[in-house]
Amino acid sequence: MRKIRRFLSVVLASICLVMAGAGNIAVQAEEVGDEGNWIGAWSTSPVQFNLKEILNLGCIKYEGGLHYLMFRTRLQPTVSGEDLRVTLSNEFGTGPLTVDAMTVGRGYEKAPNTIQAKTMKKITFQGSASVTIAPGETVTSDPIGMSVSALEYLTFSSYMKNTSTMKTYGLIGGDTYISSGNRTGNYIAAGVPMKMEGSFGEYSVIPLISGLEVYNPGGSSAVLIGDSTLANDIPILLAGRLQNSGITNKGILQQAIKGNRLLADGAGTFGMIYGESMMDRYVRDALEQPGVDTILLKVGDNDIIHPNCASMKGKAPAVTVQEMIDGYKTLIEEAHERGIKVYLFTRTAWKGYTRNILGTGDDIQWTEELDAMRQEINFWIRSEDNPADGWIDLDCLCADEAATELIPEYTLDGVHFTLTGQQALVNAIPIEEIFQD
């Protein structure tokens, strides 16, 4: 908990930062054609992240919102496009949320809070520099008049005079720095990184932005949706593999949430950042993504693990294998009704994982009985009873013949992947079969 308090204390202190100003560069965005040619190029799944509630877990007592803040966020679109627009979310807000100014420019690999000179563009919403987002809603900007290349860095700057109703954040997929004052026109801006790190993993807090779209006639997008085993660099690695293989018209969207479950919302102290259940968020986070025609789904381990954690006993509801299979069938059917293909990953091994959160000790122990549920689900995924368009077998990541334990170099803690493990998972995806028309 010390690391969380330290991070949030630094965030609060950062509002006192003072930086040199620079002029804005305004560019009139041109109108582009058919709405169906806009496809998803980057995304993150919004979760409810209540700053007051998190701070009050510790000794800090916090009331109200923060004021006069700028968020500088660096992202990577996974597919090229002739133009760009950005979507902002107030999904879990408790009131209207106003963004007073916003810009974007090309970024740098090694300087995430710096923008390349002479590339900055003002972002408008129905012609206005500011926009107010109603609670539970999203807004998409006007076309920005900026072509983008796959996997280049784009750096967005968002200024808000008041964040008192701000409760919606992404927690994976970019780098954000927070500072005080309207510095949206500055090419160089100091700031404090909005990151939380600990034994529970790393969260990169992303305020406001939930999606990027590019204008790409003939292109489409694929959604990677699931839990912490996908909430990492896998979408970027997959996009890179597609680009290197000559598949250049497919955007890869990141819609994984650490701790997410198939059938139940997040539970326990940090339940709100585990997100809504897949059943509840699937339409918003997968089916309604712009240009989506393919979904790759990997969720379910937490439905088995969380109810058996000491810290979640009586809080995280237990489920049966049949209930999980019925849930998968529902998701597949909903996608097929919209003409969207679905591919299921087999559930990966987790022997050796103990979920030691914040150094409090082992929260769970692997047993053959618990793992039998995962094995039963995988048997169904591989069977003809599975109505999905295909499945991706991840037993190749295991060290043992029984496929209960990941290869040591592939895992950080028995369940989560190292960068080598992430690349191995990406290499296991049959991209020609799934992504080539």
Side-chain angles (χ1 to χ4, degrees):
M1 188 61 66
R2 290 195 304 272
K3 291 184 177 180
I4 291 180
R5 289 202 302 267
R6 187 182 308 124
F7 158 75
L8 292 168
S9 298
V10 171
V11 169
L12 288 170
S14 71
I15 66 174
C16 297
L17 291 172
V18 178
M19 295 163 289
N24 287 337
I25 298 177
V27 175
Q28 180 67 42
E30 296 181 0
E31 293 296 326
V32 294
D34 181 50
E35 188 70 21
N37 290 319
W38 288 95
I39 65 170
W42 174 94
S43 67
T44 191
S45 292
V47 298
Q48 181 178 356
F49 187 85
N50 189 319
L51 188 60
K52 175 182 176 181
E53 193 170 324
I54 291 292
L55 281 169
N56 286 347
L57 287 174
C59 60
I60 302 171
K61 294 301 177 183
Y62 165 80
E63 299 293 339
L66 302 178
H67 303 281
Y68 307 108
L69 297 182
M70 187 188 80
F71 303 104
R72 176 155 284 185
T73 302
R74 187 187 67 171
L75 310 171
Q76 285 180 275
T78 57
V79 65
S80 301
E82 300 170 19
D83 207 340
L84 172 73
R85 60 189 187 187
V86 59
T87 294
L88 311 181
S89 177
N90 191 22
E91 178 71 27
F92 302 105
T94 54
L97 190 65
T98 297
V99 180
D100 298 281
M102 193 169 184
T103 61
V104 63
R106 303 191 193 281
Y108 293 97
E109 179 180 0
K110 296 183 179 180
N113 58 345
T114 302
I115 295 171
Q116 295 182 30
K118 300 182 180 179
T119 68
M120 192 178 292
K121 309 261 187 189
K122 280 187 175 180
I123 298 175
T124 61
F125 300 83
Q126 295 186 343
S128 175
S130 66
V131 63
T132 297
I133 315 166
E137 299 295 332
T138 62
V139 297
T140 298
S141 73
D142 302 326
I144 295 169
M146 180 180 194
S147 65
V148 297
S149 299
L151 301 178
E152 74 167 318
Y153 291 101
L154 299 177
T155 301
F156 292 83
S157 302
S158 310
Y159 173 65
M160 303 179 68
K161 295 178 181 177
N162 180 22
T163 66
S164 61
T165 62
M166 193 171 183
K167 303 291 188 296
T168 306
Y169 299 83
L171 296 178
I172 187 73
D175 299 289
T176 297
Y177 290 75
I178 183 174
S179 58
S180 64
N182 184 0
R183 310 296 178 182
T184 55
N186 288 23
Y187 293 122
I188 300 174
V192 176
M194 296 184 71
K195 286 184 181 292
M196 296 186 295
E197 297 181 11
S199 55
F200 51 83
E202 178 180 290
Y203 291 96
S204 297
V205 181
I206 302 175
L208 296 171
I209 302 173
S210 63
L212 303 181
E213 302 172 27
V214 297
Y215 188 75
N216 185 319
S220 61
S221 61
V223 173
L224 273 170
I225 190 166
D227 53 32
S228 57
T229 57
L230 293 182
N232 42 40
D233 290 328
I234 284 175
I236 294 296
L237 294 173
L238 177 56
R241 186 181 171 208
L242 293 181
Q243 293 292 320
N244 292 335
S245 300
I247 303 173
T248 58
N249 64 342
K250 183 73 67 172
I252 302 297
L253 302 182
Q254 163 75 275
Q255 295 288 22
I257 299 176
K258 295 180 182 183
N260 200 227
R261 294 183 62 178
L262 173 67
L263 299 177
D265 295 345
T269 302
F270 300 103
M272 62 184 173
I273 62 175
Y274 299 154
E276 301 165 290
S277 74
M278 183 66 65
M279 305 303 296
D280 288 340
R281 72 184 184 93
Y282 186 68
V283 172
R284 178 193 69 216
D285 289 353
L287 301 183
E288 293 183 348
Q289 291 300 312
V292 62
D293 65 3
T294 305
I295 294 171
L296 280 69
L297 175 67
K298 188 178 187 299
V299 69
D301 281 351
N302 291 318
D303 292 75
I304 299 169
I305 293 172
H306 284 185
N308 293 284
C309 290
S311 65
M312 296 195 195
K313 287 290 186 182
K315 299 176 183 177
V319 298
T320 66
V321 169
Q322 189 57 55
E323 287 171 336
M324 293 180 69
I325 290 173
D326 290 343
Y328 293 130
K329 287 182 175 178
T330 297
L331 299 182
I332 295 166
E333 180 182 354
E334 290 178 350
H336 285 171
E337 288 175 352
R338 300 180 183 227
I340 299 172
K341 297 183 296 183
V342 180
Y343 295 86
L344 301 184
F345 290 99
T346 57
R347 304 285 79 78
T348 42
W350 61 282
K351 187 176 182 179
Y353 178 58
T354 60
R355 197 174 181 269
N356 187 341
I357 302 296
L358 299 173
T360 57
D362 295 348
D363 201 24
I364 189 171
Q365 293 290 338
W366 180 95
T367 67
E368 290 186 359
E369 180 183 5
L370 288 178
D371 202 47
M373 294 181 65
R374 181 184 67 89
Q375 299 280 12
E376 286 184 56
I377 291 168
N378 282 350
F379 179 82
W380 173 79
I381 289 175
R382 297 185 180 103
S383 75
E384 293 183 357
D385 293 333
N386 174 9
D389 297 271
W391 48 274
I392 303 158
D393 198 330
L394 297 181
D395 280 2
C396 60
L397 307 181
C398 291
D400 59 328
E401 187 174 341
T404 62
E405 191 170 359
L406 293 173
I407 294 171
E409 66 178 308
Y410 288 173
T411 183
L412 297 164
D413 55 8
V415 69
H416 298 107
F417 296 115
T418 61
L419 188 59
T420 301
Q422 294 170 43
Q423 187 64 65
L425 185 150
V426 168
N427 292 343
I429 299 173
I431 60 173
E432 293 80 8
E433 174 187 331
I434 295 176
F435 298 113
Q436 285 187 335
D437 296 330

